[in-house]
Amino acid sequence: MSQIDSLPPLRSVIDSHGIAAKKNLGQNFLLDLNLTAKIARLAGDLTGCDVLEVGPGPGGLTRGLLAEGARRVLAIEKDARCLPALAEISAAYPDRLDVINGDALEINPLDHLTPPIRICANLPYNIGTELLVRWLTPDIWPPVWSSLTLMFQREVAQRITAAPGSKAYGRLALLAQWRTDARIVLDLPPEAFSPPPKVSSAVVHFTALPAPRFPADAKMLSHVVATAFNQRRKMLRSSLKALSPKIEDHLHAAGIAPTDRAEQIDLERFCALTRSLSGQ
């Protein structure tokens, strides 16, 4: 395996620092530096960009991002065991890597980043979905980031890119496709990781659209689709009745039959329903 920089191979880094992956932190480490560099390239041209990385672990993707020309990487890592390994990377790439030891769900990275910004991460499995929803639903759009390049369990990646009528279609597909172009750009087998997870993984690349495909309030849309798909086997007049005593009127206004089920409804009609419920 060729090296992308002068630092030791990742397995040596993990062994020397005693960084055994922890299941409770959702850790599965990518050891192939050529693969992490490929993921960094899938994020697009990083030259002149700040890059946010969540859950860098021993720094395989971090090294890929820096080697591929990122102006600066902000890495948020909860596991203090990884900090010495990340400090070695920082020393090898002076003034280009900042590390915050903390919980990504509790840190506002915008306080530490300068546009243009890309987000690229092998997200810890236990917080990946929540972070994605936050990044897709800011009050102001376009967002501060131009693209997201994120690794998920393949099942989650399929939910993000699913079409109406499919079993995978739901809240993640609607929120992602409302404001971004989202596509799977790389599949990864379990054996690419240490330790190997029980499922395959995939990298999804999201490109922020200049404006949402249809007008809607982000928080309301997120709430409506979450409510609708929480009871996806029920007719919408039943699953959404808690949203309004006149839910059937709102459904009709959006061109939705009250007897329809959530997986039958496309993005445009969900946005119309959101506007009706908001009185727009």
Side-chain angles (χ1 to χ4, degrees):
M1 184 196 314
S2 63
Q3 289 291 103
I4 60 173
D5 54 32
S6 60
L7 291 163
L10 274 176
R11 192 172 293 280
S12 298
V13 172
I14 290 171
D15 291 342
S16 63
H17 291 289
I19 312 173
K22 289 187 175 181
K23 185 176 182 180
N24 68 321
L25 294 176
Q27 291 175 329
N28 297 94
F29 301 142
L30 274 174
L31 299 184
D32 187 339
L33 290 169
N34 293 309
L35 186 53
T36 63
K38 180 177 182 178
I39 294 169
R41 289 192 293 273
L42 290 170
D45 184 2
L46 303 180
T47 307
C49 291
D50 278 10
V51 180
L52 171 64
E53 182 187 6
V54 174
L61 180 56
T62 314
R63 288 164 64 174
L65 294 167
L66 291 165
E68 291 300 319
R71 175 178 65 194
R72 189 165 145 270
V73 174
L74 173 66
I76 300 176
E77 177 54 63
K78 187 175 183 178
D79 188 354
R81 299 175 307 151
C82 298
L83 299 184
L86 295 170
E88 293 174 359
I89 301 172
S90 183
Y93 292 92
D95 303 318
R96 293 178 59 201
L97 173 62
D98 294 329
V99 179
I100 297 177
N101 180 205
D103 187 337
L105 297 175
E106 299 174 358
I107 294 168
N108 181 6
L110 301 183
D111 294 338
H112 310 274
L113 295 166
T114 302
I117 297 166
R118 295 184 186 270
I119 300 175
C120 185
N122 172 14
L123 291 174
Y125 283 160
N126 54 355
I127 62 171
T129 299
E130 183 170 351
L131 284 173
L132 175 62
V133 171
R134 290 187 185 189
W135 290 329
L136 292 174
T137 56
D139 291 334
I140 298 174
W141 197 271
V144 295
W145 51 267
S146 59
S147 70
L148 311 171
T149 307
L150 306 173
M151 189 183 304
F152 301 96
Q153 295 180 13
R154 179 158 177 80
E155 178 187 353
V156 176
Q158 290 171 329
R159 285 162 51 198
I160 291 166
T161 56
S166 65
K167 290 183 179 180
Y169 181 66
R171 179 179 67 138
L172 290 183
L174 283 152
L175 295 180
Q177 296 168 35
W178 177 46
R179 285 175 154 177
T180 76
D181 282 326
R183 58 193 178 94
I184 295 174
V185 293
L186 183 65
D187 291 311
L188 293 141
E191 54 268 25
F193 299 86
S194 178
K198 295 180 180 179
V199 295
S200 296
S201 300
V203 177
V204 183
H205 183 75
F206 307 75
T207 302
L209 298 173
R213 286 191 162 88
F214 307 101
D217 175 79
K219 287 185 174 57
M220 176 65 83
L221 180 61
S222 183
H223 180 54
V224 168
V225 297
T227 303
F229 284 95
N230 188 46
Q231 302 180 76
R232 60 189 303 150
R233 293 184 180 181
K234 288 189 174 184
M235 293 180 287
L236 283 170
R237 67 183 174 198
S238 298
S239 60
L240 298 179
K241 63 183 179 181
L243 297 181
S244 170
K246 298 182 178 180
I247 189 60
E248 290 201 23
D249 292 341
H250 292 295
L251 290 168
H252 283 302
I256 300 170
T259 53
D260 284 344
R261 290 175 171 79
E263 65 269 18
Q264 299 173 268
I265 309 305
D266 60 20
L267 172 62
E268 183 175 8
R269 288 186 290 168
F270 263 118
C271 288
L273 175 60
T274 298
R275 295 194 303 273
S276 179
L277 287 164
S278 301
Q280 298 177 6

